[in-house]
Amino acid sequence: MTTETTIVSYRDRQPAQANEVLPPGERFVAAFPARGGFLVGLTMRYRVVVVSDRNVHLYTAAWFSICKPKRLVATMPIGAPLESRRELNYHILRIAGERLWVPWAHWKEMREAIDAWRQIASDLFERTPTPPQLV
C-alpha cells in the first residue's frame, strides 16, 4: 500500500485559515505576512494583513506559521488611506497605526492584496451616492 504526500503551499491554505478568524459575513479576498514591532529585529513579531470584502484586518501570526492569522490586532475600513514606502529589502507600510515591514519575498502577495483593497474601495465608492455640493 502506498501513501501519497501532498504538499500544500501556505498560499493555498490562506483562504481557509483567514475564514476561521474573519468576522461573520465577511469574505476573504487576499492576505500577506509582514513583520511589525518597535525595534527592527529585536522585538518584531509576524503579523498577517487580511483584506476582506468589507474591511482590512491586522492579525498576529502563529509562532511557527507566519501566514496563519491568530488574534485580531486592528480593523480598518476598506476606504482607509494606506501609507507605503519602499526601502532596499522591505516595503514599509503603516496599517492601523502600526508600522509593518514586508520582505521582498512577499511583495507579490502584498501587491495583490493592495490592488484588491483599492479595487474594492473604488467599487464601494462608485456605488455610494455622493453628497450634494453646496453652492
Side-chain angles (χ1 to χ4, degrees), residues 37-38 58 73-76 81 83 93-100:
F38 300 106
L58 181 63
V73 175
T75 298
M76 292 175 40
E83 296 177 37
L93 303 173
R94 186 168 294 278
I95 295 178
E98 185 166 345
R99 186 186 294 175
L100 302 173

Side-chain angles (χ1 to χ4, degrees), residues 29 51-56 76-82 113-128:
V29 176
V51 178
S52 75
D53 58 342
R54 297 183 189 167
N55 294 306
V56 178
M76 292 175 40
I78 204 75
L82 172 68
I114 290 173
D115 289 346
W117 181 350
R118 289 182 176 148
Q119 182 61 43
I120 292 169
S122 69
D123 292 346
L124 179 69
F125 292 125
E126 283 178 6
R127 286 183 277 152
T128 306

Side-chain angles (χ1 to χ4, degrees), residues 44-103:
M44 295 181 81
R45 289 281 317 266
Y46 273 97
R47 303 281 192 233
V48 180
V49 179
V50 178
V51 178
S52 75
D53 58 342
R54 297 183 189 167
N55 294 306
V56 178
H57 303 283
L58 181 63
Y59 291 94
T60 58
W63 276 99
F64 295 104
S65 177
I66 65 167
C67 300
K68 183 175 183 178
K70 291 303 256 180
R71 186 180 56 84
L72 182 65
V73 175
T75 298
M76 292 175 40
I78 204 75
L82 172 68
E83 296 177 37
S84 171
R85 77 172 195 263
R86 183 173 174 217
E87 296 287 328
L88 184 61
N89 293 334
Y90 289 92
H91 260 289
I92 299 175
L93 303 173
R94 186 168 294 278
I95 295 178
E98 185 166 345
R99 186 186 294 175
L100 302 173
W101 287 265
V102 182

